[in-house]
Amino acid sequence: PLFLPVYQPRKRVFQLAAWQSDPVIEGIIVNAYFLYKQRELRKPLAATRGLKDFVGFHGLVTTDSGAFQGMSRQLFLENKKIVRFQDDIGSDVIAPLDLITPPYDKRAVATDKLRATEKRVEEGLRLVKHGILAGVQQGGRYLDLRHESICRLVEMEGRHHFSIDAD
């Protein structure tokens, strides 16, 4: 298994470039939403595809869209914008703005979130030019919806190249 620590560049407890001990860090996750919110960073990072230089790590860098933050606040963010941003800044693996399905969601809500996430994955596949888009499985506690989600992602994968995240 690959362990991917979440790295928050704004709160640099340690410098990734100076990390020389075990465990070896082969890849990291950076929250693109937090970077996107910082207007002074947004354009320079995108203009230079400078994410890896910014975080000081040149291994696998994957980004998160901010979907988790959407559970606690309104994001005022479009899938199209955050997917393009992640691709523009040089993320290796890009996450669409999926709709997380917590265990308390009713079946109808889980189904609606599944459909919306599928549309966002499809949209993201058309937008990504440099990285790999992560296809995010949805369905919450409903195993049949999770199965349906995986089957749909596999169908999409046959038409595009991306990574499936069976969350």
Side-chain angles (χ1 to χ4, degrees), residues 5 23 39 68 70 74 83 90 93-94 99 103 107 111 122 124-127 138 141 150 155-156:
R39 292 175 192 244
F68 185 75
Q74 192 167 1
V83 167
V93 181
I94 297 161
L99 296 174
R107 182 178 188 80
T111 301
E122 286 276 8
L125 288 169
R126 292 188 300 272
L127 298 171
Q138 290 297 345
R141 63 187 167 113
I150 287 290
E155 286 175 20
M156 286 183 222

Side-chain angles (χ1 to χ4, degrees), residues 1-99:
L2 181 63
F3 172 68
L4 297 173
V6 175
Y7 184 64
Q8 177 70 291
R10 283 188 359 225
K11 299 178 183 176
R12 294 182 184 204
V13 176
F14 66 94
Q15 292 293 318
L16 285 172
W19 183 267
Q20 297 295 323
S21 62
D22 286 330
V24 173
I25 297 176
E26 298 178 55
I28 61 171
I29 300 173
V30 177
N31 190 307
Y33 171 70
F34 291 141
L35 296 176
Y36 184 84
K37 281 182 24 179
Q38 297 178 60
R39 292 175 192 244
E40 71 280 0
L41 287 177
R42 192 181 311 165
K43 285 184 181 178
L45 281 176
T48 61
R49 293 186 42 80
L51 177 62
K52 291 185 179 194
D53 287 335
F54 178 72
V55 297
F57 183 78
H58 291 274
L60 174 72
V61 178
T62 181
T63 45
D64 181 19
S65 65
F68 185 75
Q69 286 71 34
M71 292 184 67
S72 61
R73 62 180 151 309
Q74 192 167 1
L75 297 181
F76 301 106
L77 184 64
E78 296 173 25
N79 181 57
K80 182 182 344 183
K81 286 184 180 179
I82 196 64
V83 167
R84 279 190 180 137
F85 176 70
Q86 292 172 80
D87 198 37
D88 289 346
I89 65 175
S91 177
D92 295 313
V93 181
I94 297 161
L97 189 61
D98 60 310
L99 296 174

Side-chain angles (χ1 to χ4, degrees), residues 131-148:
I132 296 171
L133 186 77
V136 184
Q137 178 200 39
Q138 290 297 345
R141 63 187 167 113
Y142 304 98
L143 296 181
D144 61 317
L145 292 180
R146 292 175 75 89
H147 180 264
E148 179 183 330

